[in-house]
Amino acid sequence: MALRKRPQGRFSIEPLAIYTLCKLETCATSLILALETSCDETAVAVMRGRELLASEIASQTALHQAYGGVVPEVASRNHLVHAPLLLHAAVQTAAVSLSDIDAFAATSGPGLSTSLMIGASFAKGLAIGFDKPYLAINHLEGHLLSPFFGSELQPNVSLVVSGGHTLLVHAKDVGDYRVLGRTLDDAAGEAFDKVAKLLGLGYPGGPEIERRAAAGDAARFDFPRSMLDSGDHNFSFSGLKTAVRYTIDRL
């Protein structure tokens, strides 16, 4: 099994770890099987170069709704259940065998540590068993590259927004990124979920807030918009979340 790291300095999203991502143009015919278990969804995909041969996903949303958010222990236990089933389904759909795979990949971070271990352990075990390379993939790098799936990466400025991260990134090339701004406190997705919980809207709260806001009155409340005159490209959402909390208490 070959564990490959990207040369230092190529990936400037700090403080994230630096991983090697096989450049697409050098892997035009390679078969790669990849696992994603960074949070509460289990996914297995098979690709030949830029062509997606199979993509299998299992959601745990219904399991976590009772808790109002993702419970790491519940998520990791269910990854153990879903991963082998999705792995079998993916190779069947792709019409390949595991011995045909040229490299095995898994999300290595950021994410829930106990969930990440499941996907990484599966991929590393397969890599060892079939004597193939193991590729550790950065979760946020995957987000940055996904809009260019099946095409050449174009230099761009991307806004990465998720439950745990809010970043503004200048992507120059595969592996060459510069963070222009980031949240200084809560991530945007975290603020959505916490506000939804305060309102009793359940989990996941973001889609429900969006649905109700579409029919709401945008002028009804005057909530703060932080850092508009900060002189940089950073974000802050904790003040907005706190303002919503106090507003709810007054209603």
Side-chain angles (χ1 to χ4, degrees):
M1 177 182 67
L3 296 177
R4 304 189 296 178
K5 286 190 175 182
R6 174 176 296 135
Q8 295 289 327
R10 285 287 292 159
F11 190 30
S12 59
I13 292 185
E14 298 293 343
L16 306 180
I18 298 171
Y19 302 113
T20 290
L21 178 64
C22 187
K23 273 203 166 186
L24 294 178
E25 60 265 32
T26 65
C27 298
T29 60
S30 296
L31 269 175
I32 298 177
L33 186 146
L35 292 96
E36 149 62 10
T37 59
S38 62
C39 191
D40 62 326
E41 287 192 340
T42 316
V44 178
V46 179
M47 291 184 62
R48 177 179 283 112
R50 299 176 186 274
E51 180 186 3
L52 181 65
L53 302 181
S55 178
E56 304 290 338
I57 302 174
S59 174
Q60 298 183 33
T61 299
L63 290 174
H64 297 279
Q65 283 177 336
Y67 305 100
V70 176
V71 180
E73 176 68 14
V74 174
S76 59
R77 286 180 180 272
N78 279 276
H79 286 312
L80 279 171
V81 174
H82 295 310
L85 301 176
L86 297 183
L87 184 68
H88 177 74
V91 295
Q92 290 285 100
T93 301
V96 299
S97 66
L98 289 175
S99 60
D100 296 326
I101 302 298
D102 295 307
F104 295 92
T107 309
S108 295
L112 300 177
S113 58
T114 52
S115 290
L116 290 165
M117 284 193 298
I118 305 302
S121 296
F122 266 91
K124 287 180 180 179
L126 290 166
I128 292 172
F130 289 96
D131 193 25
K132 298 293 177 66
Y134 166 71
L135 302 176
I137 306 301
N138 186 284
H139 182 178
L140 300 186
E141 186 172 36
H143 284 304
L144 288 171
L145 298 179
S146 62
F148 301 95
F149 185 81
S151 63
E152 295 288 342
L153 173 68
Q154 300 297 319
N156 66 89
V157 174
S158 294
L159 177 63
V160 181
V161 180
S162 68
H165 303 89
T166 302
L167 296 169
L168 190 65
V169 182
H170 181 198
K172 299 179 181 180
D173 195 1
V174 176
D176 190 358
Y177 317 111
R178 183 167 70 93
V179 175
L180 303 177
R182 67 175 75 235
T183 180
L184 301 181
D185 38 60
D186 293 345
E190 180 185 6
F192 267 107
D193 286 339
K194 287 183 177 178
V195 167
K197 194 168 186 177
L198 289 171
L199 293 170
L201 299 181
Y203 172 84
E208 183 62 18
I209 290 178
E210 182 179 15
R211 186 185 71 80
R212 297 194 180 202
D217 180 2
R220 176 66 176 83
F221 300 101
D222 184 21
F223 290 123
R225 299 175 63 192
S226 301
M227 303 187 67
L228 294 181
D229 300 313
S230 63
D232 55 32
H233 302 297
N234 292 322
F235 310 94
S236 172
F237 298 99
S238 63
L240 173 61
K241 182 186 66 180
T242 302
V244 172
R245 177 184 176 183
Y246 287 137
T247 299
I248 292 172
D249 290 342
R250 291 194 297 267
L251 293 177

